[in-house]
Amino acid sequence: MKPPHTITRREFLTRAAALAGVVVATPALRAAPAPRKTATDQVPLGQTGLKICRLGMGTGSNGGEVQRRLGREGFDRLIRYAYDRGVTYIDTAEAYGTHEYIRSAIRGLPRERLFILTKMPGVPEKPLEVLDRYRKELGVDYLDCVLTHCATNARWDDERRRVLDALEEAKQKGIIRAKGVSCHGLPALRRATEVEWVDVHLVRLNPQGRHIDGPSDRWNEGGNETTLPEVVREIRSMRAKGRGIIGMKIIGNGEFRSPEDREKSIRYAMQSGLVDAVTIGFASTDELDEALERMNRALAEV
């Protein structure tokens, strides 16, 4: 049997040099560029395990009057146009009177592609029966998210315990996929951060401070630029707990008439890192197109 070959120093150096040449000659692998962010991306909603379109179609401008004034056909066209542009999140509430409008507008669309969020006001006697009514009005088997609507004080979770318990039960049964709260006022907002029951927060946010949360528990007392830092502080605490955050009042309750104000607010919402998604109420396809354009431009810089 031949003895094993012992490599010489010259052979070792020759082979090492050849290997180095191969390594040098191989082009370095380049990391693929990150996909460009857009307004219609499906993004994680906090740590809920759900995904939501970054831009939502709001149906509650002036309590839903703006959208209802479009009529059924006009509303259908707007929802379908939004869907065709990639907007699959629809935001509604019992108080807006748009549930049945939405049922007509989404008929025939794939349910699994839609994210439907609605809101329950007050403390109804039988919240689970109310949820059944919502599903019939909307023409769906389940709701992606249901919020207890317009909490105003620091005792809202105790006062609405029947609703919170019912929404928890509904989530366990698969009737809803997530639950949460919308607040009007800093006392309620602060308490919402503390309540572990909350999956999703609908927060009022714009850098101008228009119609954001004010210092009292009066639902219609808006804040301003002086209350904005406290609102932001609460949102950051919510995010730290893994909550889903959706921004509203991005167009200042429809009062941002100047393009500069709309640009400033949308840019802030997209670049601040405070929200997962936003809901904006539209009255026309032109308004929707403008929001998409402004959001995409702001996201391109992130």
Side-chain angles (χ1 to χ4, degrees):
M1 190 162 96
K2 294 176 66 177
H5 174 69
T6 303
I7 188 170
T8 66
R9 177 177 174 79
R10 181 185 296 276
E11 289 174 323
F12 172 78
L13 293 175
T14 301
R15 292 180 187 180
L19 180 60
V22 171
V23 172
V24 170
T26 303
L29 294 176
R30 296 181 180 179
R36 185 171 181 174
K37 296 179 179 179
T38 73
T40 56
D41 289 339
Q42 295 290 318
V43 298
L45 183 57
Q47 295 177 10
T48 63
L50 306 177
K51 287 195 171 183
I52 187 171
C53 182
R54 188 177 270 119
L55 173 61
M57 172 73 191
T59 65
S61 303
N62 292 339
E65 179 185 354
V66 170
Q67 285 74 37
R68 293 194 306 272
R69 199 162 52 222
L70 297 173
R72 292 298 180 95
E73 290 185 6
F75 186 88
D76 283 3
R77 284 195 298 270
L78 185 56
I79 290 286
R80 292 290 181 136
Y81 182 83
Y83 180 84
D84 289 342
R85 293 296 311 272
V87 178
T88 56
Y89 160 33
I90 301 173
D91 185 291
T92 184
E94 177 177 349
Y96 303 161
T98 51
H99 280 178
E100 293 183 355
Y101 282 68
I102 291 168
R103 181 181 64 196
S104 172
I106 66 173
R107 187 173 291 124
L109 296 180
R111 175 65 184 93
E112 68 277 5
R113 294 197 60 188
L114 299 173
F115 189 103
I116 299 176
L117 179 152
T118 192
K119 312 174 193 79
M120 183 183 295
V123 189
E125 185 66 28
K126 298 180 179 179
L128 289 175
E129 291 185 7
V130 173
L131 287 179
D132 287 341
R133 172 166 59 83
Y134 289 175
R135 290 189 291 160
K136 290 176 183 176
E137 291 172 350
L138 288 159
V140 297
D141 293 330
Y142 66 92
L143 297 160
D144 294 283
C145 186
V146 177
L147 309 180
T148 181
H149 197 186
C150 195
T152 60
N153 62 51
R155 305 175 303 282
W156 66 263
D157 56 312
D158 288 332
E159 294 173 351
R160 304 185 184 202
R161 178 53 54 189
R162 182 164 62 242
V163 172
L164 271 60
D165 290 346
L167 293 182
E168 180 66 45
E169 181 180 345
K171 182 180 175 182
Q172 296 302 319
K173 291 180 176 179
I175 296 170
I176 68 176
R177 301 172 73 201
K179 54 192 169 43
V181 61
S182 69
C183 295
H184 282 243
L186 284 169
L189 194 71
R190 294 189 200 102
R191 181 59 185 154
T193 305
E194 299 170 351
V195 177
E196 296 303 324
W197 171 91
V198 178
D199 300 326
V200 177
H201 298 270
L202 183 62
V203 298
R204 300 191 289 176
L205 184 69
N206 60 70
Q208 296 92 328
R210 190 77 59 86
H211 291 283
I212 66 170
D213 293 298
S216 80
D217 57 6
R218 296 199 304 274
W219 74 269
N220 59 348
E221 181 185 40
N224 51 48
E225 288 180 327
T226 64
T227 62
L228 179 61
E230 186 159 358
V231 169
V232 169
R233 185 161 52 249
E234 292 303 322
I235 294 173
R236 293 196 189 283
S237 296
M238 295 166 182
R239 289 191 71 81
K241 292 187 173 187
R243 311 277 178 77
I245 312 291
I246 302 172
M248 62 174 170
K249 305 301 182 189
I250 307 301
I251 310 299
N253 202 40
E255 295 178 9
F256 292 161
R257 301 298 184 185
S258 75
E260 293 79 14
D261 267 332
R262 296 194 296 274
E263 179 73 14
K264 178 180 179 181
S265 183
I266 287 177
R267 184 172 293 272
Y268 178 80
M270 294 300 100
Q271 297 182 353
S272 64
L274 294 172
V275 298
D276 301 312
V278 297
T279 176
I280 299 176
F282 302 110
S284 69
T285 57
D286 287 345
E287 290 180 358
L288 174 63
D289 287 341
E290 180 193 288
L292 286 167
E293 180 182 347
R294 293 188 189 281
M295 287 177 67
N296 288 338
R297 186 163 57 240
L299 289 164
E301 299 173 5
V302 175

